[in-house]
Amino acid sequence: MRVLIVDDEPAIVRIWSRIFRKFNVEFISANDGASGFAAYQKHLPFLVVTDLRMPGKDGLYLLKKIRERTSEYPL
């Protein structure tokens, strides 16, 4: 299983990283919605954990882009 963590605060990314490491879950991280979407397209994670409020492209942007890409799949 692969998880994508998207947050502009390094401390939050570290906290999530520790949690996922504890359970031997592979993770990748990004610091804004645009780089998060690029990471999503490259790695196709099973789960995305994102902050909603970030400078530049925020978490809502990221979720919208992921939904557009996966619109052929039902929720």
Side-chain angles (χ1 to χ4, degrees), residues 28-42:
I28 47 179
S29 63
N31 59 8
D32 64 26
S35 59
F37 186 63
Y40 176 85
Q41 289 182 297
K42 181 177 180 181

Side-chain angles (χ1 to χ4, degrees), residues 2 4 8-9 12 34 45 53-54 57-58 60 62 72 74:
R2 183 177 297 132
L4 171 60
D8 60 321
E9 295 183 43
I12 300 299
R53 295 184 184 162
M54 295 179 282
K57 304 292 185 186
D58 61 12
L60 292 176
L62 172 61
E72 67 273 13

Side-chain angles (χ1 to χ4, degrees), residues 4-28:
L4 171 60
I5 305 165
V6 184
D7 201 303
D8 60 321
E9 295 183 43
I12 300 299
V13 173
R14 280 193 303 275
I15 291 168
W16 280 111
S17 301
R18 285 186 202 134
I19 292 168
F20 291 124
R21 270 193 211 107
K22 182 176 181 179
F23 294 100
N24 296 316
V25 174
E26 179 185 352
F27 67 91
I28 47 179

